[in-house]
Amino acid sequence: MSATQPAQQDQRQFISGNEAVAQAARDAGCSVASAYPGTPSTEILEFIAAYPQVYTEWSINEKVSLEVAIGASLAGSRALCAMKHVGVNVASDALMTQTLIGAVGGLVLVVADDVGLSSSQNEQDSRYWGRFAHLPILEPSDAQETYAMTRLAFALSEQYEVPVIVRLTTRICHVKGVVTSSPAETYEPKGFTKDPARLVMVPGNAKKRIPLMMARDQVLRQVSEDHPLNYTENGSDQSVGFVTSGAAYFHVKEAYPEAPVLKLGFSHPAPIEKIRAFSTSVDKLVVVEEVEPLLETELRAADVNVYGKDILPRIGELSPSVLAPCISKLMGTPCKDELIPVEELFPRPPTLCVACPHLGIYYCLSHIKNTIISGDIGCYTLGAGHPWNALDTTISMGASLSVAMGIDKGRSEADKNKNVLAVIGDSTFMHMGMQGLLDITYNKGNVTVLLLDNRAVGMTGGQNAPSSGLDIHGEATMQVDFRKLCEALGVKSERIHEVNPYELPTLFKALRSETKVKEPSVIITNQPCVLTERYSQLPPLKVDDDKCTGCSNCLDVGCPAILVTRRETVIKPNGKEKELAFVNIDTAACTGCDLCTNTCAPDAIVPAFNVDKINAIEVK
């Protein structure tokens, strides 16, 4: 099970945890796999999609994704659904009922927590869902365990008729390790069996299922106590021992190889009695768990004396450099590890891509006054950063429209003359934004919606969505018509405008005119994500040094291909100081989108090559 065991030479693969999930699903005979893209879980479905024997789909959101998997399970097939941690919040409505119904074919929910917030709006501990929804949780520590536990999860799901959560973290998802696969199995779907008393959750039926769920909890608790995934590793130094799971296990082993460790693979329900017995074998017992003190709280409630978040951080990964000083302080011993102060690390704030169609939009928004702008989750969240500073709120997936509606209805006298604008991307709009627009039109809100259609799920790598007209395999399918969709949701036809975001004057005009209208309106931008095949690159640009005045207006676009080469402070005729910034353009990165030329009064931005060379460039 553990990567510490040597793999057979002829079966070794060097793969990530996400790829291990995909291979395990295939080898377990999984028939249906669904997901909505979200870092760090995105690659799971991309890998599964390569296996033709498994039906795969990018679902419209996590709730739909889980419901598709639930349907497949009820049809007797094995099904897997993958999502990042915040996705479970979206899927929870279905999840909380499915726990009463249970599984027929193996139903596995793979949840990837973004411990340390590498690309998420919050740090959330998905182990709570096991407690909340009465579901078992398996926690692998590396790619090998991820493969084995995912396969085991299907079997457990069928044996105890319960969906099983496989909890990953970013480190497990993306770090590669040696994995030895086991022979694939053929799974024959059981077929759908009519059973309304179990499958139709009206109150009368649901009440009868709750005692069964409670009884299942007791069975699973004993399974956890006896399960080989929860095992002890003896150590030579009994002064301190650890209870841990997931990626934290290897952090503990690296920092304290001589210490006894109780490793939890079947981490919920927790094997309380096994941990209690282990606690008597060490002088001090430390619970090392990322992020929340869930196990620690349960152990304290069971009168097991442990240390946990009283000595360890509650946010981020518990790496050896984090663990060592905390444990040294507990033990009263000096810490030999030297920590790298965070402030010494070179800051690298995220930004939009070169030529991103959102650049011009945020350039315009940064110059619009007297407007409250509600943002959303996706690439366009970056509009909150430098140089645009264009967003005033960003809460959760699809919330920009509803929050804007609340700002409109809740505005005080001080804001009565301000415009309210919501920004949302095409995939996010379909994920959870459509309801917000319907709420605005139905309840007569005064909100202008900027729907940034780049025809992809851009933030997670440009995956296809209904806006692209392609499915997960790149095959043609329906393509949503946002104009018709917005009209169907109640926006007047004359209040819907489609704009090329690279045409700044047109975009400015549309924004100014629609924000003055006292009714719902939508501005749809229509250029594709630059990272997709749909984007057509143009010949690159350069700066004519003799014409550049150092005004730095082009820097306000925020394009990463524009670089400052020299700064100079001058005294203006009115006596005030002004800083000039002279620039050049990284021609190798420039795609010739022409946004910066719109901002350059002296026409200092020109084609990088002469006409003959431009003609020689193959333009898509």
Side-chain angles (χ1 to χ4, degrees):
M1 179 66 69
S2 170
T4 56
Q5 299 176 359
Q8 297 180 29
Q9 190 66 39
D10 59 348
Q11 295 179 326
R12 286 181 174 179
Q13 297 179 86
F14 192 61
I15 59 177
S16 68
N18 282 346
E19 192 170 2
V21 170
Q23 289 201 11
R26 175 200 61 186
D27 293 346
C30 176
S31 298
V32 173
S34 54
Y36 181 81
T39 305
S41 67
T42 305
E43 298 86 359
I44 292 174
L45 209 70
E46 292 177 329
F47 286 125
I48 298 180
Y51 305 134
Q53 63 270 47
V54 185
Y55 168 80
T56 52
E57 69 165 50
W58 287 129
S59 303
I60 205 72
N61 64 29
E62 292 85 355
K63 177 176 178 290
V64 173
S65 175
L66 179 58
E67 289 164 346
V68 168
I70 287 172
S73 171
L74 296 183
S77 296
R78 287 186 166 180
L80 181 144
C81 179
M83 60 189 67
K84 68 181 295 181
H85 61 295
V86 291
V88 190
N89 305 337
V90 180
S92 61
D93 195 16
L95 182 66
M96 295 304 291
T97 300
Q98 189 59 28
T99 186
L100 294 177
I101 293 174
V104 180
L107 178 57
V108 177
L109 173 59
V110 181
V111 183
D113 285 4
D114 189 8
V115 176
L117 294 94
S118 64
S119 60
S120 304
Q121 64 269 40
N122 63 45
E123 188 180 52
Q124 186 175 307
D125 194 330
S126 294
R127 294 178 304 156
Y128 271 118
W129 291 108
R131 276 76 175 172
F132 193 19
H134 301 264
L135 302 179
I137 294 179
L138 305 184
E139 281 192 80
S141 297
D142 59 17
Q144 175 67 71
E145 288 193 349
T146 300
Y147 174 84
M149 290 189 188
T150 301
R151 290 198 63 170
L152 175 64
F154 285 103
L156 288 174
S157 175
E158 288 158 7
Q159 183 176 359
Y160 300 102
E161 297 186 350
V162 60
V164 175
I165 295 175
V166 177
R167 188 233 188 183
L168 308 180
T169 60
T170 302
R171 186 169 293 274
I172 308 297
C173 290
H174 291 161
V175 172
K176 292 190 174 184
V178 176
V179 172
T180 302
S181 58
S182 48
E185 58 190 295
T186 301
Y187 182 82
E188 292 297 331
K190 303 169 184 174
F192 182 83
T193 302
K194 290 181 178 290
D195 187 359
R198 176 183 176 185
L199 305 183
V200 182
M201 282 298 95
V202 295
N205 290 339
K207 288 178 182 176
K208 296 174 184 174
R209 298 292 301 181
I210 292 176
L212 299 176
M213 180 181 70
M214 299 299 182
R216 185 183 71 200
D217 284 350
Q218 293 305 313
V219 171
L220 290 172
R221 187 170 300 282
Q222 190 56 52
V223 171
S224 176
E225 290 283 355
D226 302 331
H227 205 280
L229 287 180
N230 299 329
Y231 61 90
T232 300
E233 293 179 344
N234 297 322
S236 58
D237 182 359
Q238 307 297 315
S239 61
V240 61
F242 299 92
V243 179
T244 188
S245 61
Y249 163 75
F250 280 112
H251 296 325
V252 169
K253 293 295 290 183
E254 181 177 345
Y256 295 94
E258 73 287 356
V261 175
L262 175 49
K263 183 182 186 304
L264 302 181
F266 196 127
S267 66
H268 178 76
I272 301 295
E273 297 310 315
K274 180 173 284 188
I275 299 172
R276 189 193 306 279
F278 177 69
S279 70
T280 63
S281 67
V282 296
D283 296 337
K284 295 180 178 178
L285 180 60
V286 180
V287 180
V288 181
E289 54 185 334
E290 302 168 336
V291 174
E292 298 283 350
L294 272 71
L295 178 60
E296 173 190 340
T297 302
E298 292 173 352
L299 291 172
R300 290 184 192 279
D303 200 26
V304 179
N305 188 23
V306 297
Y307 296 90
K309 296 303 181 184
D310 50 343
I311 63 168
L312 298 174
R314 196 163 172 168
I315 62 173
E317 292 189 302
L318 299 178
S319 61
S321 61
V322 174
L323 278 175
C326 299
I327 302 302
S328 294
K329 185 176 181 181
L330 172 68
M331 304 303 292
T333 56
C335 180
K336 298 180 180 179
D337 288 357
E338 295 183 2
L339 298 179
I340 302 174
V342 173
E343 49 274 17
E344 291 184 7
L345 299 175
F346 182 77
R348 193 177 66 88
T351 189
L352 294 168
C353 299
V354 172
C356 172
H358 302 342
L359 289 170
I361 295 164
Y362 282 114
Y363 175 81
C364 293
L365 293 179
S366 67
H367 286 77
I368 284 187
K369 308 299 181 186
N370 200 40
T371 302
I372 302 172
I373 303 175
S374 175
D376 219 302
I377 304 299
C379 294
Y380 36 90
T381 308
L382 301 172
H386 181 77
W388 315 283
N389 303 312
L391 298 183
D392 297 306
T393 71
T394 299
I395 306 299
S396 61
M397 195 87 169
S400 61
L401 283 77
S402 309
V403 170
M405 176 66 171
I407 292 172
D408 175 39
K409 296 299 183 183
R411 67 175 81 196
S412 66
E413 187 67 17
D415 297 324
K416 69 176 184 179
N417 293 322
K418 291 182 178 177
N419 306 312
V420 180
L421 196 148
V423 182
I424 191 168
D426 54 303
S427 180
T428 308
F429 181 72
M430 292 180 287
H431 176 279
M432 202 59 77
M434 292 186 290
Q435 298 87 341
L437 181 57
L438 183 60
D439 190 72
I440 290 170
T441 57
Y442 176 68
N443 291 301
K444 304 172 184 175
N446 179 17
V447 175
T448 299
V449 176
L450 253 176
L451 203 171
L452 313 186
D453 177 15
N454 64 5
R455 299 163 199 173
V457 189
M459 179 63 92
T460 51
Q463 287 78 20
N464 290 322
S467 55
S468 67
L470 300 171
D471 66 13
I472 191 172
H473 303 291
E475 298 175 354
T477 182
M478 58 74 66
Q479 183 174 19
V480 69
D481 185 327
F482 283 112
R483 174 179 281 277
K484 290 182 178 177
L485 178 57
C486 293
E487 196 171 347
L489 291 172
V491 184
K492 293 178 181 176
S493 176
E494 61 269 27
R495 297 270 67 84
I496 304 173
H497 304 272
E498 192 170 345
V499 177
N500 182 340
Y502 294 114
E503 296 177 0
L504 296 185
T506 306
L507 185 57
F508 260 123
K509 182 179 179 181
L511 284 168
R512 284 173 173 153
S513 62
E514 288 308 314
T515 51
K516 291 177 181 176
V517 177
K518 304 302 180 185
E519 62 179 304
S521 59
V522 178
I523 300 171
I524 304 168
T525 62
N526 60 5
Q527 293 300 308
C529 173
V530 298
L531 300 181
T532 65
E533 295 179 348
R534 291 176 283 278
Y535 179 73
S536 297
Q537 187 170 335
L538 297 171
L541 304 169
K542 70 174 184 179
V543 176
D544 184 337
D545 294 335
D546 295 334
K547 291 183 178 179
C548 181
T549 62
C551 70
S552 72
N553 287 340
C554 57
L555 292 175
D556 290 344
V557 173
C559 180
I562 304 175
L563 309 172
V564 176
T565 57
R566 176 169 60 91
R567 295 188 185 275
E568 182 179 324
T569 302
V570 298
I571 306 299
K572 297 170 62 177
N574 61 9
K576 293 184 178 179
E577 286 188 351
K578 181 180 180 180
E579 184 177 277
L580 302 179
F582 297 87
V583 303
N584 68 15
I585 293 177
D586 182 352
T587 300
C590 177
T591 67
C593 73
D594 226 24
L595 271 176
C596 52
T597 59
N598 283 279
T599 68
C600 185
D603 294 329
I605 299 175
V606 298
F609 307 120
N610 58 38
V611 175
D612 291 339
K613 193 163 185 179
I614 289 175
N615 291 336
I617 295 175
E618 182 182 355
V619 179
K620 294 180 181 178

